[in-house]
Amino acid sequence: MPQPPDTRPADTGVIHDIGYRGYTGPRLGRAYATRSLFTQSLRAAYGLGRSGKSKVLPMLMLGVVTVPAVIFVAVALAMKRDELPVEYAGYLSSLGLVVSVFLASQAPVLLSRDLRYHTVPLYFSRPITRTDYVRAKFAAMACAQLLLMAAPLLVLYIGALLGGMDFAYNTGHFLYGLAAAALYALVPTSVALVIAASTPRRGFGVAAIMGYLAVSSTVAAIAVGISNPTPGGSDAAQWTALISPNGLVEAVVNEVFDLGTGLDRRHAPGGLGLVVFALVAVAMVVGSYRLLLRRYRNV
């Protein structure tokens, strides 16, 4: 039976030029993409650019570390004291719990979600490497921690200068405090990031980081307190600070800058102890960074 003739119109498709042009601007490359990821991650650590409830905890932590500093300054000025009632680095050592809470809550924000969903909040026109990713995230969390530690120090320093206290003394001890803040921003942070990168579940990461930092600090503090009930007690328990990132930083800072008093003072036991403590601190940071690189090579 013959087929009916095809009455459909012939295909006359054409390509229309609607004015789109190719991009002729500068190619910013991987370095710019890495900086963008760093900036976005730093903002995310404080809940900026995220929902309102994401800002509550980091801003609360910032208030917790800053408000007591304001009170110390106000009391010193009201009483017309010649010096602050607290040392800069000593003030940071009293914030161990806050450091642990901030790291436990925010380190998984930077890593766990990306691991779980295998994506990042940014669109890159040029792909970055795994090393770029680790570098950006590591730097962002360290800077977030440094800002948290430096904020109360700045309040104390400005308050001391406004109160007419000794400029040279306060400037020197403010710099000691900044050195301590930098160590707090590197040593505990590096360990927390490794723990956060080990699981895509944010809740597991929070619990693991908080558990390790809190338990290790408590064990080290108890050991020092028990072994030094009287002046001249043994320094053997000071070595327990090696298991605690926060205690390790406090011991190194106190020994290097000769800070802290009392029977419960944390310090590296002698010259050999200081060398060992410093090497362990460096090993924690470098080792954690390399573990992060290894982790993301396998993701």
Side-chain angles (χ1 to χ4, degrees), residues 117-197:
Y117 298 107
H118 299 284
T119 186
V120 295
L122 298 179
Y123 173 79
F124 299 118
S125 59
R126 290 291 183 273
I128 62 173
T129 65
R130 290 178 174 85
T131 302
D132 295 334
Y133 178 89
V134 172
R135 186 184 302 119
K137 292 290 184 176
F138 192 99
M141 193 67 239
C143 287
Q145 183 69 27
L146 180 61
L147 290 175
L148 185 73
M149 297 284 96
L153 297 182
L154 192 60
V155 171
L156 291 172
Y157 182 62
I158 293 175
L161 295 186
L162 291 177
M165 300 178 191
D166 186 78
F167 175 79
Y169 176 85
N170 281 281
T171 299
H173 283 256
F174 173 66
L175 294 177
Y176 296 163
L178 287 182
L183 289 176
Y184 278 113
L186 287 173
V187 180
T189 300
S190 61
V191 176
L193 286 173
V194 170
I195 298 174

XYZ file of all heavy atoms in Angstrom, residues 117-197:
611
model
N 27.956 16.186 51.570
C 27.239 16.442 50.314
C 28.157 16.501 49.097
O 27.685 16.689 47.972
C 26.448 17.750 50.429
C 25.399 17.704 51.503
C 25.566 18.403 52.693
C 24.249 16.944 51.345
C 24.604 18.360 53.692
C 23.279 16.895 52.340
C 23.459 17.605 53.509
O 22.507 17.544 54.500
N 29.470 16.378 49.313
C 30.453 16.390 48.216
C 30.314 17.642 47.340
O 30.368 17.567 46.113
C 30.312 15.130 47.360
C 30.558 13.872 48.112
N 31.817 13.437 48.475
C 29.691 12.946 48.626
C 31.730 12.301 49.144
N 30.450 11.979 49.262
N 30.149 18.768 47.991
C 30.043 20.028 47.271
C 30.469 21.161 48.192
O 30.587 20.984 49.410
C 28.597 20.278 46.795
O 28.550 21.453 45.981
C 27.652 20.454 47.976
N 30.736 22.323 47.616
C 31.086 23.513 48.379
C 30.106 24.624 48.024
O 29.480 24.581 46.959
C 32.534 23.977 48.087
C 33.532 22.940 48.564
C 32.735 24.254 46.606
N 29.951 25.634 48.895
C 28.959 26.677 48.636
C 29.325 27.628 47.506
O 28.533 28.506 47.182
C 28.894 27.428 49.971
C 29.491 26.529 50.979
C 30.527 25.743 50.243
N 30.502 27.481 46.925
C 30.936 28.392 45.861
C 30.966 27.663 44.519
O 31.185 26.448 44.461
C 32.329 28.953 46.164
C 32.477 29.797 47.430
C 33.918 30.247 47.588
C 31.546 30.998 47.398
N 30.780 28.425 43.455
C 30.931 27.887 42.100
C 32.249 28.407 41.544
O 32.480 29.616 41.488
C 29.769 28.332 41.206
C 29.969 27.946 39.752
C 29.722 26.645 39.328
C 30.432 28.870 38.819
C 29.916 26.281 38.019
C 30.630 28.516 37.500
C 30.374 27.219 37.099
O 30.575 26.850 35.799
N 33.115 27.498 41.137
C 34.423 27.884 40.621
C 34.454 27.717 39.106
O 34.190 26.623 38.587
C 35.526 27.009 41.235
C 35.630 27.121 42.725
C 35.420 26.019 43.540
C 35.943 28.326 43.323
C 35.510 26.116 44.915
C 36.039 28.443 44.704
C 35.824 27.335 45.492
N 34.766 28.809 38.413
C 34.929 28.698 36.966
C 36.221 27.982 36.606
O 36.370 27.476 35.497
C 34.930 30.093 36.329
O 35.971 30.890 36.862
N 37.143 27.950 37.550
C 38.373 27.179 37.396
C 38.509 26.281 38.609
O 38.433 26.753 39.744
C 39.604 28.099 37.281
C 39.681 28.877 35.968
C 39.963 27.953 34.796
N 40.106 28.699 33.558
C 39.106 29.039 32.762
N 37.867 28.716 33.090
N 39.320 29.702 31.647
N 38.703 24.988 38.440
C 38.753 24.083 39.593
C 39.996 24.322 40.449
O 41.056 24.688 39.944
C 38.777 22.697 38.953
C 39.365 22.917 37.591
C 38.895 24.270 37.158
N 39.848 24.112 41.758
C 40.985 24.185 42.671
C 41.403 22.761 43.032
O 40.640 21.810 42.855
C 40.641 24.980 43.942
C 39.511 24.284 44.730
C 40.264 26.405 43.607
C 39.232 24.926 46.069
N 42.595 22.626 43.530
C 43.102 21.307 43.899
C 42.699 20.983 45.334
O 42.246 21.843 46.088
C 44.626 21.259 43.774
O 45.207 22.158 44.741
C 45.064 21.680 42.376
N 42.904 19.731 45.714
C 42.632 19.337 47.091
C 43.534 20.082 48.073
O 43.121 20.437 49.170
C 42.823 17.828 47.236
C 41.760 16.997 46.522
C 42.053 15.505 46.669
N 40.976 14.679 46.127
C 40.867 14.330 44.860
N 41.781 14.737 43.989
N 39.860 13.582 44.445
N 44.766 20.333 47.662
C 45.679 21.092 48.519
C 45.186 22.515 48.728
O 45.258 23.057 49.840
C 47.089 21.111 47.909
O 47.553 19.768 47.736
C 48.061 21.868 48.796
N 44.672 23.140 47.669
C 44.101 24.478 47.794
C 42.946 24.484 48.780
O 42.796 25.408 49.594
C 43.617 24.977 46.432
C 44.746 25.165 45.432
O 45.885 25.397 45.877
O 44.490 25.064 44.220
N 42.110 23.467 48.695
C 40.943 23.376 49.582
C 41.385 23.276 51.039
O 40.886 24.006 51.906
C 40.097 22.162 49.191
C 38.895 21.936 50.075
C 37.676 22.541 49.795
C 38.980 21.115 51.200
C 36.572 22.339 50.613
C 37.884 20.905 52.018
C 36.686 21.517 51.712
O 35.599 21.316 52.526
N 42.324 22.372 51.326
C 42.799 22.195 52.699
C 43.461 23.469 53.202
O 43.242 23.896 54.354
C 43.772 21.009 52.769
C 44.436 20.933 54.137
C 43.033 19.706 52.482
N 44.261 24.095 52.364
C 44.945 25.324 52.768
C 43.945 26.419 53.128
O 44.095 27.114 54.145
C 45.871 25.791 51.645
C 46.744 26.986 52.021
C 47.557 27.461 50.837
N 48.408 26.403 50.318
C 48.319 25.922 49.076
N 47.398 26.387 48.242
N 49.134 24.974 48.679
N 42.916 26.588 52.310
C 41.927 27.630 52.559
C 41.145 27.355 53.835
O 40.914 28.261 54.652
C 40.973 27.736 51.365
N 40.703 26.117 54.033
C 39.916 25.779 55.217
C 40.754 25.884 56.486
O 40.286 26.386 57.526
C 39.351 24.364 55.068
C 38.298 24.225 53.977
C 37.012 24.934 54.346
C 35.929 24.713 53.317
N 34.635 25.306 53.701
N 41.995 25.410 56.429
C 42.881 25.475 57.586
C 43.134 26.925 57.982
O 43.035 27.293 59.158
C 44.196 24.766 57.253
C 45.079 24.510 58.442
C 45.102 23.258 59.046
C 45.892 25.496 58.960
C 45.913 23.004 60.155
C 46.698 25.265 60.062
C 46.714 24.011 60.663
N 43.447 27.761 56.999
C 43.718 29.169 57.288
C 42.475 29.880 57.800
O 42.560 30.731 58.704
C 44.240 29.861 56.027
N 41.310 29.557 57.266
C 40.077 30.213 57.690
C 39.754 29.900 59.140
O 39.414 30.795 59.922
C 38.926 29.784 56.781
N 39.867 28.622 59.532
C 39.550 28.262 60.914
C 40.576 28.838 61.871
O 40.230 29.283 62.970
C 39.497 26.738 61.034
C 38.883 26.243 62.342
S 37.131 26.618 62.486
C 37.114 27.607 63.981
N 41.847 28.853 61.475
C 42.883 29.432 62.334
C 42.656 30.930 62.518
O 42.795 31.456 63.633
C 44.259 29.173 61.738
N 42.293 31.633 61.459
C 42.034 33.070 61.563
C 40.791 33.351 62.397
O 40.755 34.322 63.164
C 41.876 33.677 60.175
S 43.423 33.828 59.261
N 39.770 32.511 62.263
C 38.572 32.680 63.075
C 38.898 32.528 64.557
O 38.432 33.302 65.406
C 37.513 31.660 62.660
N 39.728 31.541 64.882
C 40.132 31.338 66.273
C 41.006 32.489 66.752
O 40.885 32.935 67.902
C 40.888 30.014 66.391
C 41.298 29.638 67.796
C 40.114 29.281 68.660
O 39.093 28.849 68.158
N 40.228 29.503 69.951
N 41.885 32.987 65.891
C 42.750 34.108 66.272
C 41.932 35.357 66.564
O 42.209 36.086 67.522
C 43.765 34.381 65.152
C 44.751 35.523 65.404
C 45.597 35.248 66.638
C 45.641 35.744 64.187
N 40.926 35.628 65.755
C 40.056 36.781 66.006
C 39.343 36.649 67.345
O 39.199 37.625 68.091
C 39.033 36.917 64.876
C 39.576 37.348 63.513
C 38.471 37.311 62.467
C 40.180 38.747 63.587
N 38.893 35.435 67.657
C 38.207 35.208 68.929
C 39.143 35.463 70.109
O 38.734 36.045 71.127
C 37.690 33.769 68.980
C 36.852 33.392 70.200
C 35.471 34.027 70.112
C 36.722 31.885 70.331
N 40.402 35.062 69.998
C 41.358 35.234 71.071
C 41.877 36.675 71.161
O 42.169 37.170 72.252
C 42.541 34.283 70.877
C 42.209 32.802 70.936
S 41.913 32.180 72.620
C 40.114 32.267 72.680
N 42.016 37.326 70.018
C 42.603 38.670 70.008
C 41.619 39.745 70.462
O 42.045 40.795 70.957
C 43.129 39.003 68.609
N 40.323 39.506 70.291
C 39.324 40.531 70.630
C 39.410 40.964 72.094
O 39.487 42.174 72.389
C 37.925 40.026 70.285
N 39.398 40.066 73.080
C 39.497 40.529 74.473
C 40.848 41.155 74.807
O 40.922 42.057 75.640
C 39.267 39.246 75.284
C 39.628 38.132 74.371
C 39.241 38.599 73.008
N 41.921 40.682 74.151
C 43.231 41.292 74.391
C 43.234 42.744 73.954
O 43.812 43.611 74.637
C 44.315 40.510 73.637
C 44.532 39.056 74.034
C 45.672 38.455 73.215
C 44.816 38.922 75.520
N 42.606 43.013 72.834
C 42.537 44.390 72.343
C 41.730 45.262 73.296
O 42.092 46.426 73.550
C 41.921 44.401 70.947
C 42.017 45.709 70.161
C 43.470 46.101 69.956
C 41.314 45.572 68.815
N 40.655 44.704 73.854
C 39.856 45.453 74.826
C 40.695 45.785 76.057
O 40.678 46.924 76.561
C 38.606 44.641 75.222
C 37.886 45.304 76.402
C 37.651 44.519 74.044
N 41.424 44.808 76.556
C 42.270 45.037 77.728
C 43.351 46.073 77.439
O 43.618 46.961 78.266
C 42.924 43.719 78.167
C 42.003 42.641 78.762
C 42.780 41.342 78.963
C 41.383 43.104 80.061
N 43.964 45.978 76.285
C 45.067 46.887 75.947
C 44.570 48.319 75.785
O 45.160 49.259 76.348
C 45.732 46.400 74.671
C 46.913 47.230 74.233
C 48.046 47.343 75.040
C 46.897 47.901 73.012
C 49.139 48.102 74.634
C 47.985 48.651 72.603
C 49.101 48.763 73.415
O 50.177 49.515 73.021
N 43.500 48.495 75.038
C 42.956 49.845 74.842
C 42.498 50.426 76.173
O 42.722 51.608 76.475
C 41.809 49.814 73.817
C 42.350 49.446 72.440
C 41.090 51.156 73.769
C 41.279 49.279 71.392
N 41.853 49.600 76.994
C 41.411 50.081 78.299
C 42.576 50.495 79.184
O 42.504 51.510 79.889
N 43.674 49.729 79.147
C 44.845 50.075 79.945
C 45.448 51.397 79.495
O 45.833 52.231 80.329
C 45.878 48.958 79.868
N 45.526 51.600 78.203
C 46.098 52.859 77.707
C 45.186 54.039 78.019
O 45.658 55.128 78.383
C 46.336 52.756 76.192
C 47.374 51.720 75.735
C 47.621 51.833 74.251
C 48.684 51.873 76.517
N 43.887 53.843 77.885
C 42.957 54.925 78.208
C 42.996 55.266 79.693
O 42.733 56.406 80.082
C 41.532 54.542 77.795
C 41.264 54.443 76.292
C 39.835 53.986 76.037
C 41.526 55.778 75.610
N 43.325 54.259 80.522
C 43.418 54.501 81.961
C 44.754 55.069 82.398
O 44.984 55.218 83.605
N 45.639 55.364 81.445
C 46.927 55.954 81.782
C 47.921 54.988 82.384
O 48.865 55.411 83.057
N 47.726 53.705 82.195
C 48.663 52.719 82.745
C 49.947 52.684 81.924
O 49.998 53.225 80.821
C 47.997 51.338 82.775
C 46.746 51.296 83.617
S 45.935 49.682 83.614
C 44.371 50.093 84.410
N 50.971 52.051 82.465
C 52.300 52.047 81.855
C 52.251 51.516 80.421
O 51.823 50.382 80.183
C 53.251 51.205 82.687
C 54.677 51.288 82.171
O 55.340 52.299 82.453
O 55.097 50.353 81.466
N 52.709 52.338 79.476
C 52.623 51.979 78.056
C 53.552 50.827 77.712
O 53.153 49.862 77.054
C 52.969 53.199 77.195
C 53.020 52.900 75.722
C 51.869 52.808 74.972
C 54.249 52.693 75.091
C 51.915 52.521 73.611
C 54.308 52.404 73.731
C 53.138 52.324 72.997
N 54.807 50.890 78.153
C 55.785 49.864 77.789
C 55.380 48.505 78.350
O 55.442 47.485 77.646
C 57.174 50.265 78.285
N 54.979 48.479 79.608
C 54.604 47.205 80.235
C 53.407 46.584 79.521
O 53.415 45.384 79.178
C 54.274 47.438 81.706
C 53.777 46.194 82.416
C 54.663 45.277 82.955
C 52.405 45.947 82.529
C 54.203 44.132 83.608
C 51.934 44.812 83.175
C 52.839 43.915 83.707
O 52.381 42.782 84.327
N 52.381 47.370 79.285
C 51.168 46.836 78.667
C 51.393 46.449 77.214
O 50.831 45.452 76.746
C 50.028 47.860 78.770
C 49.385 47.880 80.140
O 48.573 47.036 80.473
N 49.781 48.853 80.948
N 52.234 47.198 76.510
C 52.518 46.834 75.125
C 53.266 45.513 75.056
O 52.954 44.634 74.242
C 53.343 47.938 74.444
O 52.604 49.161 74.452
C 53.656 47.562 72.998
N 54.261 45.344 75.918
C 55.007 44.084 75.934
C 54.128 42.897 76.258
O 54.178 41.863 75.577
N 53.283 43.028 77.284
C 52.435 41.906 77.681
C 51.280 41.699 76.705
O 50.784 40.570 76.574
C 51.923 42.118 79.102
C 52.950 41.831 80.149
N 52.942 40.688 80.914
C 54.060 42.526 80.531
C 53.966 40.689 81.736
N 54.673 41.799 81.532
N 50.882 42.756 76.030
C 49.895 42.594 74.960
C 50.476 41.754 73.824
O 49.791 40.887 73.263
C 49.465 43.964 74.447
C 48.569 43.918 73.241
C 47.294 43.372 73.321
C 48.998 44.420 72.017
C 46.462 43.331 72.201
C 48.179 44.378 70.905
C 46.903 43.837 70.993
N 51.750 41.982 73.504
C 52.403 41.174 72.470
C 52.571 39.730 72.931
O 52.446 38.798 72.132
C 53.764 41.783 72.115
C 53.707 43.164 71.449
C 55.114 43.702 71.213
C 52.940 43.104 70.140
N 52.856 39.519 74.228
C 52.878 38.151 74.753
C 51.525 37.482 74.531
O 51.440 36.307 74.145
C 53.186 38.144 76.256
C 54.550 38.667 76.645
C 54.829 39.043 77.963
C 55.577 38.778 75.713
C 56.069 39.518 78.332
C 56.825 39.258 76.076
C 57.068 39.630 77.387
O 58.302 40.102 77.753
N 50.472 38.244 74.807
C 49.133 37.705 74.625
C 48.842 37.362 73.184
O 48.219 36.329 72.898
N 49.292 38.199 72.263
C 49.080 37.903 70.841
C 49.839 36.646 70.422
O 49.346 35.864 69.600
C 49.522 39.090 69.990
C 48.622 40.331 70.022
C 49.178 41.408 69.088
C 47.190 39.982 69.625
N 51.041 36.468 70.978
C 51.788 35.236 70.677
C 51.026 34.023 71.184
O 50.929 32.990 70.497
C 53.175 35.306 71.316
N 50.469 34.128 72.396
C 49.657 33.034 72.924
C 48.423 32.806 72.069
O 48.037 31.657 71.797
C 49.254 33.339 74.367
N 47.786 33.888 71.620
C 46.601 33.764 70.778
C 46.926 33.055 69.471
O 46.136 32.233 68.977
C 46.012 35.152 70.495
N 48.101 33.366 68.898
C 48.503 32.704 67.654
C 48.704 31.202 67.879
O 48.324 30.386 67.034
C 49.795 33.337 67.126
N 49.274 30.838 69.020
C 49.457 29.413 69.319
C 48.118 28.718 69.542
O 47.906 27.590 69.083
C 50.346 29.243 70.550
C 51.820 29.594 70.362
C 52.582 29.492 71.674
C 52.459 28.683 69.320
N 47.202 29.383 70.250
C 45.861 28.818 70.421
C 45.149 28.681 69.084
O 44.319 27.791 68.897
C 45.028 29.699 71.349
C 45.272 29.473 72.821
C 45.874 30.454 73.607
C 44.900 28.281 73.439
C 46.102 30.260 74.962
C 45.126 28.073 74.787
C 45.728 29.061 75.547
O 45.956 28.848 76.889
N 45.464 29.587 68.154
C 44.820 29.542 66.839
C 45.406 28.464 65.940
O 44.811 28.136 64.914
C 44.953 30.904 66.148
N 46.545 27.908 66.315
C 47.181 26.896 65.479
C 47.095 25.487 66.073
O 46.657 24.558 65.404
C 48.656 27.253 65.256
C 48.931 28.426 64.313
C 50.417 28.766 64.316
C 48.471 28.104 62.901
N 47.494 25.338 67.335
C 47.626 23.993 67.900
C 46.268 23.323 68.125
O 45.984 22.278 67.522
C 48.474 24.024 69.191
C 48.609 22.618 69.758
C 49.855 24.613 68.908
N 45.375 23.874 68.968
C 44.077 23.204 69.135
C 43.264 23.167 67.848
O 42.550 22.186 67.580
C 43.370 24.050 70.213
C 44.445 24.816 70.884
C 45.478 25.061 69.834
N 43.376 24.209 67.032
C 42.597 24.271 65.794
C 42.993 23.164 64.838
O 42.132 22.544 64.196
C 42.788 25.645 65.127
O 42.349 26.667 66.017
C 41.994 25.734 63.833
N 44.289 22.912 64.695
C 44.738 21.883 63.759
C 44.205 20.514 64.154
O 43.750 19.731 63.308
C 46.269 21.864 63.696
O 46.824 21.575 64.968
N 44.219 20.210 65.460
C 43.697 18.916 65.929
C 42.197 18.834 65.696
O 41.669 17.801 65.258
C 44.039 18.732 67.420
C 43.418 17.444 67.949
C 45.542 18.715 67.635
N 41.483 19.930 65.973
C 40.030 19.936 65.789
C 39.651 19.731 64.329
O 38.671 19.036 64.018
C 39.450 21.257 66.303
N 40.413 20.285 63.409
C 40.104 20.126 61.988
C 40.304 18.683 61.533
O 39.525 18.173 60.716
C 40.972 21.067 61.160
C 40.588 22.543 61.212
C 41.623 23.394 60.486
C 39.206 22.776 60.614
N 41.323 18.023 62.049
C 41.536 16.616 61.689
C 40.368 15.766 62.165
O 39.865 14.902 61.440
C 42.864 16.105 62.293
C 42.974 14.600 62.140
C 44.042 16.772 61.605
N 39.910 16.028 63.383
C 38.765 15.272 63.902
C 37.515 15.568 63.086
O 36.749 14.651 62.743
C 38.541 15.604 65.389
C 39.767 15.192 66.220
C 37.293 14.913 65.917
C 39.685 15.618 67.677
N 37.290 16.840 62.746
C 36.106 17.206 61.969
C 36.137 16.572 60.589
O 35.081 16.198 60.043
C 36.007 18.725 61.848
N 37.329 16.448 59.986
C 37.442 15.886 58.644
C 37.297 14.374 58.625
O 37.160 13.783 57.553
C 38.787 16.274 58.025
